[in-house]
């Protein structure tokens, strides 16, 4: 039996930094979270911090230039300009909410350098604890706002759409029961696609659900082929794989193979601080050649590990590796999705009534390769903008044309999909692997129907096959050169045409 709930405001799917920032900006919102707040979202796991031009010798213009350089030709300059201009205030706003950023004696922010940044501009908390601490502050603020309702163990089973294509609410499963929620707007803040891959640093339940739901409703999806692989997930057989933050390399940690040889000079003059995709491919190559890959922070961090990088230290120690004295085994792992539901600068998608923010959105700021520590920033800046814009939507729209839940992907099929995605749509791709994978996806969809994770995987694979070049996070061994810089905008076949064109 399906019950009905009418909500006079936006419904927000997802409770990471983008979703909760949107809720605070909207002031009145209903947040649906699949897990208890701050437990199942990538934001809470972020080790790096928030990049923003907070230092006297830095500027939003420099931050924008670094973001655009990392994005490998596909960033939207207007979106980047907005992100970097609003960045410092976004950090201060989170600090005012209670996020305990590391400070110097004069109360200015302690700022770290990360790869491909031309200045130290990453605001951190307790070394590698930024995500958890920021989320704790935001969750407290949301819980203290009586006009924000929260439903945990709630997940979306379909976007409700009227005959014109407008989104008029969501069919949710809350504590196992189906609820038809009618609302003035829906904001997708469901995170990325890590759980579609066998090796990921993100919570495994983050598996492209928002992307799939939006695509099935006919929303325009941008650049889905661009998946970022973090070079240094800790390879201790854990799912998801714990992260060894890039800041360790910022501190001077060295990548070595089993023989102890530092190999990054073979791949890029910037060595350990080369762009993330270059380092990920170098590790992939070393591992594929049987030489292994390790992060050696014994000299650079050594005895300071427990207080400077407590999360990494704890993950290593739990697997019997003492990073003060031993090298850390590392592997590339899916870390971030640059592609997503195409939005304008206020989070509007191509479908009236539907907004997106955070990793599941494509605002155009991340291009083909996200600059480190720009993701929490994007979630805060664009989450707030989406929340404000969605709150301004008045009640509109007709009756939903379908109330049927979309199918779920059975666990064994999902696990098979994850292995196949890592093998054939991973760090290195080619036409033969992608074609084989496409066949597998078609067979899975024939067997199980259009499950949102399958639809999300299909978007990645179709676009990866169509992009016959290498750029940023997308590397084709059969097309290693870079071609003309063109973004991908796709609408799933068989859906209604979008009613409003995203920027
Ligand atoms: C890291 O700390 O290495 C990750 C930071 C990021 O992906 O932004």
């Amino acid at each position: 039996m399906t019950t009905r709930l009418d909500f006079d405001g936006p419904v927000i799917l997802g409770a990471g930094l983008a979703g909760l920032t949107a809720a605070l900006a909207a002031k009145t919102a209903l947040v649906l979270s699949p897990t208890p707040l701050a437990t199942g979202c990538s934001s809470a796991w972020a080790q790096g911090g928030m990049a923003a031009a907070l230092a006297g010798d830095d500027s939003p213009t420099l931050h924008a230039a670094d973001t655009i350089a990392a994005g490998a030709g596909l960033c939207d300059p207007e979106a980047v300009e907005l992100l970097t201009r609003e960045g410092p205030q976004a950090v201060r706003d989170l600090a005012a909410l209670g996020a305990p950023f590391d400070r110097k004696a004069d109360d200015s922010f302690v700022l770290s350098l990360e790869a491909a940044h031309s200045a130290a501009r990453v605001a951190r908390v307790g070394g590698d604890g930024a995500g958890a601490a920021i989320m704790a502050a935001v969750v407290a603020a949301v819980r203290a706002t009586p006009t924000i309702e929260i439903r945990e163990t709630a997940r979306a089973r379909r976007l409700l759409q009227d005959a014109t294509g407008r989104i008029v609410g969501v069919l949710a499963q809350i504590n196992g029961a189906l609820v038809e929620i009618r609302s003035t707007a829906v904001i997708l803040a469901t995170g990325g696609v890590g759980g579609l891959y066998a090796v990921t640093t993100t919570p495994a339940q983050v598996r492209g659900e928002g992307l799939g739901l939006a695509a099935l409703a006919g929303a325009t999806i941008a650049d889905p082929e661009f998946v970022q692989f973090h070079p240094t997930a800790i390879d201790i057989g854990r799912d998801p794989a714990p992260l060894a933050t890039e800041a360790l390399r910022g501190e001077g940690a060295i990548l070595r193979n089993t023989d102890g040889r530092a190999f990054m000079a073979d791949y890029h003059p910037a060595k350990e601080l080369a762009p993330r995709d270059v380092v990920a491919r170098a590790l992939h190559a070393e591992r594929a050649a049987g030489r292994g890959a390790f992060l050696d922070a014994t000299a650079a961090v050594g005895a300071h590990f427990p207080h400077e990088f407590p999360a990494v230290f704890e993950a290593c120690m739990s697997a019997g590796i003492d990073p003060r004295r031993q090298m850390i085994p590392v592997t590339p792992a899916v870390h971030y999705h640059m592609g997503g539901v195409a939005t304008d600068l206020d989070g509007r998608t191509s479908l009236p009534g539907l907004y997106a923010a955070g990793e599941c959105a494509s605002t155009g700021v991340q291009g083909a390769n996200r600059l480190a520590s720009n993701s929490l920033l994007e979630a805060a800046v664009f989450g707030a903008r989406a929340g404000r814009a969605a709150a301004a939507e008045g009640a509109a729209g007709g009756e939903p044309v379908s109330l049927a839940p979309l199918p779920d992907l059975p666990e064994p099929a999902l696990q098979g999909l994850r292995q196949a995605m890592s093998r054939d749509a991973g760090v290195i791709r080619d036409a033969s692997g992608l074609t084989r994978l496409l066949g597998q996806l078609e067979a899975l969809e024939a067997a199980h129907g259009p499950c949102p994770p399958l639809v999300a995987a299909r978007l990645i694979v179709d676009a990866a096959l169509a992009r016959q070049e290498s750029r940023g996070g997308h590397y084709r061994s059969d097309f290693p050169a870079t071609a003309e810089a063109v973004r991908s905008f796709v609408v799933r076949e068989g859906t209604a045409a979008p009613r409003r064109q995203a920027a």
Side-chain angles (χ1 to χ4, degrees), residues 47-48 114 230 243-247 276 335 370 372-375:
Q47 292 183 359
E114 285 186 355
H230 196 292
L243 184 69
T245 176
E246 190 164 292
R276 195 171 275 185
H335 186 60
R370 178 183 60 94
S373 291
N374 264 356
S375 45

Side-chain angles (χ1 to χ4, degrees), residues 120-137:
R121 63 167 70 99
V122 180
R124 304 181 162 274
V125 183
D128 58 12
I134 291 170
M135 285 305 294

Side-chain angles (χ1 to χ4, degrees), residues 70-326:
L74 295 195
C75 292
D76 175 341
E78 200 189 345
V80 172
E81 193 277 327
L82 190 150
L83 175 84
T84 52
R85 176 166 40 83
E86 294 194 359
Q89 191 54 45
V91 176
R92 288 188 202 105
D93 289 347
L94 286 167
L97 275 189
F101 289 103
D102 296 343
R103 306 279 190 153
K104 296 183 190 159
D106 65 0
D107 207 37
S108 62
F109 292 93
V110 173
L111 299 169
S112 304
L113 180 66
E114 285 186 355
H117 285 275
S118 59
R121 63 167 70 99
V122 180
R124 304 181 162 274
V125 183
D128 58 12
I134 291 170
M135 285 305 294
V138 174
V139 166
V142 164
R143 290 210 190 274
T145 308
T147 47
I148 299 177
E149 292 184 35
I150 299 157
R151 300 277 194 286
E152 290 165 329
T153 65
R155 68 189 188 97
R157 300 299 309 273
R158 164 185 287 278
L159 295 175
L160 300 179
Q161 205 165 15
D162 72 11
T164 71
R166 183 183 179 86
I167 299 301
V168 293
V170 62
L171 179 72
Q173 189 169 328
I174 304 178
N175 289 321
L178 287 176
V179 185
E180 173 193 345
I181 304 175
R182 300 286 194 93
S183 62
T184 51
V186 172
I187 304 177
L188 296 170
T190 49
V193 297
L196 293 177
Y197 284 79
V199 187
T200 178
T201 62
T202 75
Q205 68 270 19
V206 177
R207 48 178 79 130
E209 300 270 354
L211 196 63
L213 289 167
L216 285 161
T220 303
I221 308 299
D223 302 328
E225 65 274 38
F226 291 103
V227 175
Q228 184 170 74
F229 295 85
H230 196 292
T232 58
I234 305 176
D235 189 14
I236 46 177
R238 210 167 281 168
D239 178 27
L243 184 69
T245 176
E246 190 164 292
L248 289 161
R249 280 175 282 134
E251 294 286 313
I254 306 287
L255 287 164
R256 301 185 190 279
N257 58 27
T258 314
D259 297 335
R261 183 170 173 275
F263 56 77
M264 273 313 297
D266 301 347
Y267 295 92
H268 197 281
K271 298 191 260 185
E272 275 73 12
L273 294 184
R276 195 171 275 185
D277 60 306
V278 174
V279 184
R281 282 196 296 280
L283 263 85
H284 180 84
E286 292 295 309
R287 288 169 56 93
R291 293 189 286 270
F294 297 83
L295 186 65
D296 178 1
T298 53
V301 182
H304 302 292
F305 243 113
H307 60 273
E308 282 190 9
F309 296 98
V312 179
F313 182 69
E314 198 185 306
C316 290
M317 294 300 279
S318 72
I321 298 160
D322 184 342
R324 293 170 294 193
R325 288 178 266 279
Q326 290 170 281

